[in-house]
């Protein structure tokens, strides 16, 4: 675990996404999960919206609070919204939506 993740401010409430000259602020508590898409990241929100950012998932892994867990090369999930973990099928279910995310054995220790 990186230094930034262990010693980051736990009272972080908003995340600033910068794309070119535009800044967008997301409430941390409203993020369900992050999905990697090549060199961009899609933020899937509680209200069903998807916000794109032009950085990799790795960049956000170091900035987000401890309740965000890396479960796959392409996914970081907010552990507050996990409803079920099925180890046999390597699936992590999200409670707010009918979403099933894969996880890999390489990141099993995070779960």
């Amino acid at each position: 675990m990186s230094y930034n993740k262990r010693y980051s401010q736990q009272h972080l409430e908003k995340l600033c996404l910068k794309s070119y000259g535009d800044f967008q602020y997301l409430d941390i508590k409203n993020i369900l999960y992050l999905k990697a898409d090549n060199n961009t990241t899609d933020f899937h929100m509680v209200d069903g919206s998807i916000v794109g950012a032009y950085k990799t998932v790795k960049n956000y892994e170091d900035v987000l609070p401890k309740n965000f867990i890396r479960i796959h090369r392409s996914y970081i999930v907010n552990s507050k919204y996990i409803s079920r973990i099925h180890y046999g099928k390597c699936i992590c279910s999200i409670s707010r939506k009918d979403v099933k995310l894969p996880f890999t054995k390489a990141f099993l220790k995070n779960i």
Side-chain angles (χ1 to χ4, degrees), residues 50-100:
I50 300 172
V51 179
Y54 295 107
K55 288 187 180 179
T56 62
V57 169
K58 176 66 178 159
N59 292 14
Y60 298 111
E61 181 180 19
D62 295 335
V63 174
L64 290 167
K66 290 181 183 179
N67 58 304
F68 284 85
I69 303 169
R70 184 86 177 252
I71 61 169
H72 189 275
R73 283 182 58 194
S74 299
Y75 292 97
I76 296 176
V77 66
N78 187 344
S79 63
K80 293 180 180 180
Y81 294 110
I82 294 176
S83 63
R84 182 178 182 194
I85 298 172
H86 195 296
Y87 286 102
K89 295 182 180 179
C90 294
I91 292 176
C92 177
S93 298
I94 304 294
S95 61
R96 293 280 179 137
K97 296 170 84 177
D98 189 25
V99 175
K100 294 178 169 74

Side-chain angles (χ1 to χ4, degrees), residues 35-47:
K35 180 181 179 185
D37 185 18
N38 292 325
N39 288 331
T40 63
T41 302
D42 292 333
F43 287 79
H44 293 258
M45 308 300 287
V46 171
D47 64 3

Side-chain angles (χ1 to χ4, degrees), residues 14-25:
K14 292 198 181 266
L15 180 66
C16 178
L17 304 180
K18 179 184 176 189
S19 62
Y20 303 111
D22 185 32
F23 292 92
Q24 185 166 5
Y25 292 89

Side-chain angles (χ1 to χ4, degrees), residues 3-20:
Y3 177 84
N4 290 338
K5 183 110 176 175
R6 281 186 284 166
Y7 299 103
S8 67
Q9 299 171 353
Q10 293 305 309
H11 62 277
L12 182 68
E13 294 178 10
K14 292 198 181 266
L15 180 66
C16 178
L17 304 180
K18 179 184 176 189
S19 62
Y20 303 111

